[in-house]
């Protein structure tokens, strides 16, 4: 992961995400860290004033962050414009070949009711690049274990295998694959085939596969697995708007984002740079 993009709105949540991002960037020896703010909601007049003010706020934000000694400030790029966040992010991803977008979220209420939550949803919908969602007050620690959560449906077409392999390899992380299925415990013909396919696709990582049969709530099942196995990062597939709607508007995903205290990465079907 060479290029990190951190969209910020200067809230406490975005500060948490920014700190996590610079710590991860230093850990992975990233080449560039981009801080981006959209002032699309500014009043109709005063463009120049907002542009200058935003630049000052970005500079002050960086001064408040704990910058690891291995991450030179020369690698920082400060960007701001008056485009909607999603549009601005998509352009930056294209122009700078962004490897990872890092944003914050506080929980279920934050997803629906705050600006940073709505912006995170918009970027997730875009799928422009892998999106790492950092929970409120979460501090970075080296990622030793990741888990890919799958429903074992349409595995061949849905699984972002190249992205998972690239990310887990760069992190040098042990990879787990978890399927929560209290009803059939993964023993239907379709799911047995799905297990075989996902393990074949992720074979270079030698993943650990496990079916969780309890509890009946799927989000809690994933969360319990994360706690039990000391998982540092949850990986999920992001494919299109339909998936986005199911992810953020389904009870499973809302509960997962609301209770998980480890970051979640939404991966697209394109290798992480």
């Amino acid at each position: 992961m060479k290029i990190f993009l951190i969209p910020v709105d200067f809230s406490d949540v975005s500060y948490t995400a920014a700190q996590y991002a610079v710590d991860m960037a230093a850990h992975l020896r990233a080449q560039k860290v981009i801080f981006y703010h959209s002032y699309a909601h500014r009043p109709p007049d005063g463009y120049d004033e907002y542009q200058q003010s935003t630049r000052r706020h970005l500079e002050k934000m960086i001064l408040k962050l704990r910058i690891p000694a291995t991450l030179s400030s020369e690698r920082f790029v400060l960007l701001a414009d008056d485009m909607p966040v999603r549009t601005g992010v998509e352009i930056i991803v294209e122009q700078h070949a962004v490897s990872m977008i890092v944003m914050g979220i506080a929980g279920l209420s934050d997803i629906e009711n705050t600006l940073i939550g709505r912006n995170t949803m918009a970027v997730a919908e875009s799928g422009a690049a892998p999106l790492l969602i950092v929970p409120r007050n979460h501090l970075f620690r080296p990622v030793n274990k990741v888990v890919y959560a799958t429903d074992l449906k349409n595995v061949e077409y849905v699984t972002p295998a190249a992205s998972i392999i690239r990310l887990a390899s760069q992190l040098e992380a042990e990879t787990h694959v978890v399927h929560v299925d209290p009803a059939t415990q993964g023993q239907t013909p379709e799911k047995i085939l799905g297990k075989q396919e996902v393990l074949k696709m992720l074979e270079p990582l030698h993943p650990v596969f496990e079916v969780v049969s309890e509890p009946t709530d799927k989000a809690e099942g994933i969360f319990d697995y994360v706690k039990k196995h000391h998982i540092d990062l949850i990986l999920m597939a992001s494919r299109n708007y339909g998936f986005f709607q199911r992810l953020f508007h389904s009870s499973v995903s809302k509960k997962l984002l609301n209770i998980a205290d480890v970051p979640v990465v939404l991966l697209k079907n394109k290798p992480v740079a």
Side-chain angles (χ1 to χ4, degrees):
M1 286 182 284
K2 300 176 181 179
I3 314 294
F4 281 71
L5 170 60
I6 315 169
V8 301
D9 67 353
F10 307 115
S11 65
D12 290 343
V13 172
S14 66
Y15 266 93
T16 297
Q19 184 63 63
Y20 185 98
V22 297
D23 287 339
M24 175 176 269
H27 180 70
L28 295 174
R29 302 185 183 279
Q31 295 178 356
K32 187 188 302 182
V33 179
I34 304 169
F35 295 84
Y36 168 64
H37 177 71
S38 163
Y39 45 89
H41 298 286
R42 67 175 175 83
D45 54 353
Y47 176 86
D48 291 339
E49 179 184 347
Y50 264 80
Q51 194 173 41
Q52 295 172 10
S53 175
T54 298
R55 177 81 185 193
R56 290 194 298 270
H57 280 300
L58 287 170
E59 290 172 348
K60 289 179 180 178
M61 180 178 195
I62 291 174
L63 289 174
K64 290 182 180 179
L65 297 174
R66 300 181 306 278
I67 308 301
T70 55
L71 187 64
S72 169
S73 60
E74 295 178 355
R75 302 182 194 178
F76 294 164
V77 176
L78 310 184
L79 300 177
D81 56 42
D82 62 351
M83 289 184 286
V85 172
R86 172 175 173 169
T87 303
V89 164
E90 289 174 343
I91 292 173
I92 294 170
V93 167
E94 181 69 22
Q95 290 179 341
H96 294 267
V98 169
S99 309
M100 181 76 76
I101 305 167
V102 183
M103 300 183 73
I105 211 156
L108 176 55
S109 61
D110 185 55
I111 295 172
E112 298 177 330
N113 300 324
T114 68
L115 180 61
I116 185 66
R118 292 194 295 272
N119 286 341
T120 300
M121 290 177 73
V123 174
E125 175 187 337
S126 167
L131 172 62
L132 194 158
I133 303 175
V134 184
R136 182 191 292 274
N137 300 325
H138 186 82
L139 300 177
F140 175 77
R141 61 175 180 263
V143 178
N144 297 313
K145 295 182 181 181
V146 302
V147 62
Y148 173 61
T150 175
D151 60 9
L152 294 180
K153 296 179 180 178
N154 300 315
V155 168
E156 183 178 354
Y157 304 101
V158 169
T159 307
S163 293
I164 295 172
I165 292 169
R166 187 71 176 269
L167 178 59
S169 298
Q170 290 175 335
L171 294 169
E172 298 181 347
E174 178 180 297
T175 303
H176 293 236
V177 178
V178 64
H179 172 62
V180 180
D181 185 7
T184 68
Q185 298 183 19
Q187 293 303 306
T188 66
E190 178 191 19
K191 292 184 176 180
I192 291 173
L193 180 60
K195 173 187 174 180
Q196 294 171 348
E197 289 178 342
V198 75
L199 289 179
K200 182 178 180 180
M201 295 172 75
L202 301 178
E203 186 176 3
L205 300 174
H206 307 290
V208 176
F209 182 91
E210 188 165 335
V211 174
V212 176
S213 57
E214 294 181 1
T216 56
D217 184 284
K218 292 184 178 180
E220 291 182 5
I222 296 171
F223 183 65
D224 288 348
Y225 187 90
V226 165
K227 284 295 186 184
K228 179 180 177 182
H229 295 276
H230 306 289
I231 300 295
D232 302 301
L233 207 58
I234 300 171
L235 311 181
M236 300 184 74
S238 64
R239 306 184 298 283
N240 51 39
Y241 184 66
F243 173 80
F244 165 78
Q245 286 183 310
R246 293 194 297 276
L247 175 65
F248 285 95
H249 295 285
S250 72
S251 59
V252 170
S253 298
K254 283 185 176 181
K255 285 181 180 179
L256 180 59
L257 284 172
N258 203 33
I259 63 178
D261 59 357
V262 300
V264 176
V265 180
L266 304 183
L267 291 169
K268 51 188 283 190
N269 255 319
K270 180 179 178 181
V272 179

